[in-house]
Amino acid sequence: MDVFRRLLGRLVSADPRPGDENEDFRETRPHSPPSKTATANNSATLHYGASSKASEYILPKSVCIPELLQSPATNRAFELLNGPAAAIMILGGAGTGKTTFLHALQKDPRKKQVFLAPTGVAALHLGGQTLHSFFSIPPRIINHDEIRIRARQRKLFRRLERLVIDEISMVRADLLDTVDRTLRLARERDVAFGGVQVVLVGDFFQLPPVVPAAEEDILDRLGYSGPYSFNAKVLENIVIDRVPFLTVHRQADPVFVECLHRLRRGAQVPEAIATINDACVRPHRENCTPVLLTPTNMRADAYNYEGLARLRSEERVYVGVAAGEFGPDRDRLPVPESLGLKIGARVMAVRNDPGKRWVNGSVGTITGLALDRVAVRLDVGSDVEIERFTWEKIRYDWDEGRSRVAATVIGTYTQLPVVHAWAVTIHKAQGLTLEDVRVDFDFGAFAPGQAYVAVSRSRSIDGLSLVRPVRTSEVKVDPRVSAYMATFEA
């Protein structure tokens, strides 16, 4: 840490970042983003001041709001959500409280709402449904005259008042336009999203949408200037109310936060990388076993296979049980169907404990194996027993008798809610807060936002180590995202 502190000067003397004036499970001391004061020689001195003046917006009384959410930004978001706003975009970097905000919003009963995400795993964590499933959209580019709406869907769509989409950075422009067209047709209203209030949540500086090479040319021919949801045609002619989440709650060290901020935006990257490399290219801190993050499944699997094989204790295999419309051949399972564990195995919880003894992302070591549960010594916390958990795959329907949106369980998957935690992919770590992280970029980060997502998982600089230095070339930021975010946060 002393080394890291001595490097503060490198950041303080750097040029100001252009265009920038201005999930998180355990409560930490929030801090304000650095403000900038120009000195006589026009260099930028970073100051870490008090929070901005409290907002007077009123949150819904029916919602229990954690202290983390009592901020001007979240108050502003709730004011917009419960007003006439047609489209609201809530964007923020890692650890700014987006997930906590969504969980609070799910408890707001004042509008008929659904919560959707672009991937199955994200939908399961959110407690919602995938976009493709909810709207019956095939996983390909479709022409709008191919849209088919079943009678049951039409009834639900006509009564829907709010549509919340998480992980918006991974939603493609053509998919969002298909959602818009589907709602217009179903509701017989030729206005954006058929008049449904749309809430888009995420961070475009993190992982981008997947665009196979074969579809890039097609999107270009369809008139899209880019693949991101902000390139969707439906957003071109509507007013989007913008709510930036700027305060970081995950990390408390202002210098570390500033480094992450620069990696996220791709601004003054060499200085930020040099600071992190000087502090973190080292063996991991003693008496702590980190989760290793790496870009590819192959690399993560190799680390986990090696970690399990090194243990001499007897292996016990836990088999997951799928029922209904939750088939292993159709869904990306949150935990492998066959999970081999041994005493001493490193594991990560992938669900929050209702008793609040652990959270999604808690890491520990197996100390005991039973038929339907395991004993785990948490790295941060106590000794706990983790039992099998049942994930539910839901489908939203309209309950005519109660005049409300109903979440119908159409499939279940039961398995221990843990995965091997010697290593996980950077993609799967998005959204997690980890105490100890070691990053192996292997042959290199290959996607925009990947390097930022990896290093920002750690709660502190002390808990972060690197197998090798981060290269400047690995910090990839799409200039289209930079341009959009400069406007969004202006």
Side-chain angles (χ1 to χ4, degrees), residues 31-33 49-55 70-73 246-247:
H31 67 276
S32 300
S51 300
S52 57
K53 185 178 179 180
S55 168
Q70 296 178 7
S71 69
L246 299 176
T247 301

Side-chain angles (χ1 to χ4, degrees), residues 19-22 91-93 203 205 242 244-246 261 264-265 484-490:
D20 185 22
E21 294 302 325
N22 308 329
L91 304 180
D203 182 13
F205 282 118
R242 303 169 297 176
F245 277 24
L246 299 176
H261 180 88
R264 175 174 177 256
R265 302 185 68 90
Y484 182 80
M485 289 303 296
T487 300
F488 182 88
E489 295 179 352

Side-chain angles (χ1 to χ4, degrees), residues 8-307:
L8 173 61
R10 178 183 287 121
L11 289 176
V12 171
S13 61
D15 293 333
R17 50 184 184 266
D20 185 22
E21 294 302 325
N22 308 329
E23 267 174 25
D24 312 73
F25 305 105
R26 184 185 315 178
E27 181 183 338
T28 59
R29 178 180 62 82
H31 67 276
S32 300
S35 61
K36 296 185 298 181
T37 303
T39 61
N41 61 1
N42 292 326
S43 65
T45 303
L46 304 180
H47 297 280
Y48 298 87
S51 300
S52 57
K53 185 178 179 180
S55 168
E56 296 180 355
Y57 300 133
I58 305 300
L59 298 176
K61 293 181 180 179
S62 58
V63 180
C64 178
I65 303 297
E67 184 177 347
L68 176 65
L69 291 177
Q70 296 178 7
S71 69
T74 50
N75 286 349
R76 170 64 173 161
F78 271 107
E79 181 198 50
L80 290 168
L81 286 163
N82 292 291
I88 304 163
M89 188 174 284
I90 299 171
L91 304 180
T96 53
K98 300 185 297 295
T99 299
T100 304
F101 170 79
L102 285 171
H103 288 164
L105 181 58
Q106 286 176 318
K107 299 175 184 177
D108 183 358
R110 289 184 286 185
K111 286 194 176 182
K112 301 177 181 69
Q113 58 185 0
V114 296
F115 290 77
L116 308 180
T119 69
V121 171
L124 286 173
H125 289 322
L126 181 64
Q129 194 171 346
T130 66
L131 280 162
H132 288 88
S133 172
F134 182 75
F135 288 103
S136 298
I137 300 171
R140 59 177 176 83
I141 298 174
I142 68 169
N143 296 302
H144 286 174
D145 59 8
E146 299 178 84
I147 294 174
R148 299 291 181 266
I149 306 171
R150 297 192 298 270
R152 184 177 62 190
Q153 288 179 309
R154 189 179 298 274
K155 183 179 295 186
L156 172 59
F157 295 165
R158 285 181 173 177
R159 289 163 174 79
L160 189 62
E161 295 176 329
R162 179 188 292 151
L163 170 64
V164 183
I165 303 177
D166 192 18
E167 300 290 5
I168 191 62
S169 71
M170 294 190 285
V171 176
R172 277 182 14 185
D174 59 305
L175 175 57
L176 193 61
D177 278 335
T178 301
V179 169
D180 165 58
R181 185 60 181 167
T182 301
L183 288 172
R184 291 184 193 227
L185 291 172
R187 295 167 64 88
E188 298 180 346
R189 292 189 62 191
D190 194 22
V191 296
F193 300 104
V196 175
Q197 183 186 70
V198 174
V199 185
L200 310 177
V201 182
D203 182 13
F204 289 112
F205 282 118
Q206 296 191 42
L207 300 179
V210 176
V211 184
E215 296 184 0
E216 290 182 0
D217 182 59
I218 300 299
L219 289 177
D220 184 62
R221 290 175 181 272
L222 288 172
Y224 290 104
S225 58
Y228 297 95
S229 54
F230 59 73
N231 298 126
K233 297 172 184 177
V234 63
L235 300 184
E236 292 178 352
N237 300 309
I238 64 172
V239 174
I240 302 174
D241 285 285
R242 303 169 297 176
V243 184
F245 277 24
L246 299 176
T247 301
V248 176
H249 303 275
R250 178 176 295 159
Q251 295 90 10
D253 188 301
V255 181
F256 186 32
V257 170
E258 177 61 14
C259 287
L260 295 178
H261 180 88
R262 295 181 181 188
L263 294 186
R264 175 174 177 256
R265 302 185 68 90
Q268 299 170 346
V269 169
E271 295 91 345
I273 283 181
T275 301
I276 290 177
N277 284 341
D278 286 347
C280 300
V281 179
R282 53 175 169 79
H284 201 75
R285 59 182 174 180
E286 294 182 357
N287 303 318
C288 294
T289 304
V291 176
L292 191 139
L293 303 184
T294 191
T296 65
N297 281 306
M298 182 179 297
R299 189 70 167 169
D301 290 344
Y303 273 111
N304 286 325
Y305 178 84
E306 180 183 350

